[in-house]
Amino acid sequence: MRSRAETEPAVRVDRLTVEHHREPLGIGEAAPRLTWATVAGAGWTQGGYEIAVDRGGRTTTGWVEGGDSVLVAWPGAPLRSRERVEVSVRVRGKDGSTSDWSAPTAVEAGLLSPEDWTAVPVGPGPGTPPDGVWLLRREFDVRDDVVAARLYLTAHGVAEAEVNGAAVGEDVLAPGWTSYAHRLQYATHDVTALLRPGANVLGIRLADGWYRGLVGFDGGTREVYGDRVAVLCQLELHHADGTTAVVASGPDGWSAAPAPTSSASFYAGERHDARSDDRSWSAPGTPTGSWRPARDVSPRDPGTLVAPEGPPVRCTQEVEPVSVTPLEPGTFLLDFGQNLVGRLRLRVQGPRGTLVRLRHAEVLQDGRLCTRPLRGAPSVDEYVLAGGGPEEWEPRFTLHGFRYAEVSGWPGGLAPGAVTARVQHTDMERTGWFECSDPLVTRLHENVVWSMRGNFVHLPTDCPQRDERLGWTGDIQVFAPTAAFLYDCTGMLRSWLRDLAAEQLPDGTVPWYVPYVPGGPIWSPPRPGAVWGDAAVLTPWDLFERAGDRQVLVDQYDSACAWVDLVTRLAGPGRVWDQGFQLGDWLDPAAPPEDPTASVTDPHLVATAYFARSTDHLARTAEAVGRPEDAARYGALAAEVRAAFRSRYVTAEGRMTSDTQTAHALAICFDLLLPEHREPAGTRLAHLVRSSGNRIATGFAGTPLVTEALTRTGQVPTAYDLLLCAELPSWLYTVRQGGTTIWERWDSLLPDGSVNPGDMTSFNHYALGAVADWLHRTVAGLAPAEPGYRRVLFQPQPGGGLTWARARHRSPYGEVAIEWHWTDGRLDVEVEVPTGATGTVQLPLQAPREIGPGRHRLTADVPPDWADR
Ligand code: BGC
């Protein structure tokens, strides 16, 4: 038998990906960029690559010299609409060794030009009552020589398709929520296997979704986008002889009927009466029920139809209850052990007409569901049994945020497997992991992961459970670095950033949340606000830094400039943004519960610090996208803003005018201080942290930065004291209180176990989980030193009594990882650098070391009090 080394080349291409797609079917890029990770021995360096594209005949680039492997330009002619090709790559080392060709990756273009669309929106017509789900169907004939069939599907509303009674794909709440007036996503499905020669039926379930349903505050606003739901779809059947038949939504052959789901709303929930189920509705033949011709509805400019850049929402996990408590006959309280976002699937059998009701809540109060924090989102699903055998049901067009559910009206006992929670979110690939010797910190990290999952649902939302669920710009602005470590969210956030740019006002104002919907007087019309609006500059930068995608900066450049230019005008020649409404250090724990903007830190100090930060990052962005003049101009402006910040908010002796943790953290992290004032500011910050008993005394603006600011100024032990404090308010208080997600308020659950009486008491809000970035970078010690982790910084800064920590991240180059153990004054570290990347290791009390790809073990003498020296 031959050994592995003899049979496999020493170098191989691990995976070849296309743009930021998880599945490159129906993509919108005609010239998608390619990324591959290579597995090779230590010391191997790529000297060149060759890309082959099979477009029915294989062409290759020939060997291209160079070490690039991330987002490499598309070779050759752009893809045509619908074109399907196979791409593979092989690499050659500087040592002359060559890999085999990678396994081919199939790439298929979507409909790239507006002329590709013949479909027009069709729906039940005007005057249909809101909330109800509609069925649409169209019969069509299929020849016996179909070689491929694609369904391009979108909707004004949310839609799911069936062909001949079989579900098309597993997407949930498609086409998601974008800035509909500017961009409506369509999905591409391969439906070849669902067709058969002869009569076929395409059926669509259609609900209001974000288009016509209730969205936003105070129970929501209806019909934000329009009063008529419609489906827009195009089924294309490709025949062996090269001809194509198209079945498109439009005036011909479509009929509509109300579905047995009489209401479906994000906030209210869903009601389905299985007694009126007609399983043949999407099968050939004449279905029963009240079908009538479907109607053309408001037209849609096909130029606004876009292919998705990120994955769809799907069920990613099923969770069984950890306990089932009978409350009264037919009523049970279920605890799923985890606060999650999704819905319940029932497997039930009982008499016809039995009504099963499902109520959801994140928390309990006195042993019962506490639904008050849901505000105007009752979150009740109802199912009426058809009777006569086992039935299975899950709502389709709603989502709930819950850990507990109350099931009532249940026939008989509740058997294991009868009620299962199905977790739903944008199905991004997991890319980041962290663990350490303190189980509470590890659980905190897990809570961050769950809050990201629950709030990355087509767009990054603030919370998933109450009436709101909006794409708050400030929340993702602080959380993006953490998000980009945990999951590959580049495609999804890139798409959302396009919406941000699309909805920016002509003067550069960024709405508080994107997509914008009318809110109360504070939010409508949008006003410029620091921290939130800065997402226009800082979030593209974070994606560039983490994913190495410069194009994000190019695409968002005008939007970023518009924001900084606006703030420059608002600040005026003084360069201090001291006018107008600000949320500032929103949700400072010292602010009165009814006024979360009343933070102890001057909101205009926060605004001016962010002005400096964004201007500085815009200068870097200009540099990165090849605009040196802009870079110089914004660089000079940033210097002026920093100077203005100092003269307004820092005394000549270096004391901050707001003697608060947030003020110090911003000044340190955003490099706003004179060099000689930096360390003293760190000392003062450490003092402030200690004098608040190591509890949190910061809101949205400060909290993500305090541990980082302490670390940068040599106050690592205090950073750990802050992290490990478990008194209210603190991160670990929430863990001690049994939290399984990150909360909106530190005291969402009060010390006596009761639920905070305020009306902003979400238990699933990722923003304050942004500290996970510090866990990754500083506790474990893993950070990008160059965009895309082309150079990795391994700089663990152990402390807080932790004896070990580890983190790993699937970077564009491959897996980067670190694990350290710290015992008896000795720090043992193992790191991994993927092929194509390099690393810098900076261990405590040691000079930095440069390392190449491969696994490395390093050791350092690190006494327990190293950070105090
Ligand atoms: C949201 C946020 C958001 C904030 C802005 C809240 O209602 O839940 O997380 O950033 O408003 O003030």
Side-chain angles (χ1 to χ4, degrees), residues 215-508:
V215 290
F217 310 86
D218 299 327
T221 306
R222 213 183 273 291
E223 296 179 1
V224 168
Y225 296 96
D227 61 356
R228 294 171 199 185
V229 285
V231 63
L232 180 68
C233 69
Q234 198 158 302
L235 172 63
E236 301 192 348
L237 314 172
H238 303 287
H239 303 129
D241 62 6
T243 59
T244 298
V246 178
V247 179
S249 56
D252 299 327
W254 286 82
S255 42
T261 312
S262 56
S263 69
S265 138
F266 293 127
Y267 295 166
E270 203 159 307
R271 182 188 164 92
H272 185 86
D273 189 339
R275 289 173 300 185
S276 340
D277 265 346
D278 170 12
R279 302 211 179 270
S280 68
W281 75 275
S282 67
T286 312
T288 58
S290 45
W291 292 85
R292 58 189 166 92
R295 310 248 213 111
D296 265 12
V297 293
S298 355
R300 171 103 214 165
D301 170 8
T304 59
L305 301 177
V306 296
E309 293 176 90
V313 171
R314 283 192 281 239
C315 174
T316 61
Q317 191 179 342
E318 295 191 348
V319 179
E320 298 299 331
V322 295
S323 73
V324 175
T325 311
L327 295 177
E328 50 208 53
T331 302
F332 302 87
L333 179 67
L334 278 54
D335 175 4
F336 290 90
Q338 172 63 51
N339 193 25
L340 55 83
V341 175
R343 22 194 215 210
L344 298 175
R345 184 196 53 216
L346 312 181
R347 289 187 170 137
V348 61
Q349 183 162 5
R352 185 173 175 81
T354 307
L355 170 70
V356 174
R357 181 173 290 124
L358 311 170
R359 297 169 61 232
H360 306 77
E362 297 188 294
V363 280
L364 299 180
Q365 181 91 59
D366 304 323
R368 292 292 179 121
L369 298 190
C370 179
T371 55
R372 183 176 36 76
L374 304 177
R375 302 194 312 210
S379 310
V380 180
D381 297 327
E382 291 179 338
Y383 179 72
V384 181
L385 273 66
E391 299 175 43
E392 185 173 305
W393 181 71
E394 177 188 344
R396 293 172 184 272
F397 297 115
T398 190
L399 284 182
H400 308 298
F402 64 99
R403 169 176 169 168
Y404 303 94
E406 188 194 275
V407 178
S408 58
W410 190 267
L414 206 119
V419 181
T420 301
R422 305 216 334 134
V423 179
Q424 326 268 350
H425 53 84
T426 295
D427 191 11
M428 307 159 289
E429 185 185 347
R430 180 86 189 259
T431 53
W433 295 265
F434 167 91
E435 272 178 291
C436 71
S437 58
D438 185 326
L440 291 180
V441 175
T442 301
R443 180 66 228 194
L444 172 71
H445 188 269
E446 190 60 14
N447 293 0
V448 176
V449 173
W450 274 99
S451 279
M452 176 169 175
R453 294 176 73 181
N455 283 293
F456 274 55
V457 179
H458 285 299
L459 70 155
T461 61
D462 57 333
C463 58
Q465 73 296 79
R466 68 181 181 216
D467 51 347
E468 201 155 333
R469 312 187 191 186
L470 298 172
W472 284 95
T473 49
D475 302 43
I476 189 60
Q477 188 273 111
V478 298
F479 190 70
T482 298
F485 180 90
L486 297 174
Y487 282 89
D488 180 358
C489 53
T490 310
M492 175 186 140
L493 290 182
R494 219 185 137 171
S495 171
W496 178 78
L497 284 168
R498 291 187 207 278
D499 289 327
L500 181 150
E503 302 216 330
Q504 222 167 340
L505 305 189
D507 72 352

Side-chain angles (χ1 to χ4, degrees), residues 462 466 468 472 475 523 532 583 586 700 744 760 765:
D462 57 333
R466 68 181 181 216
E468 201 155 333
W472 284 95
D475 302 43
W523 318 117
W532 277 257
L583 293 175
W586 171 258
F700 261 41
E744 178 172 29
M760 266 181 34
H765 239 75

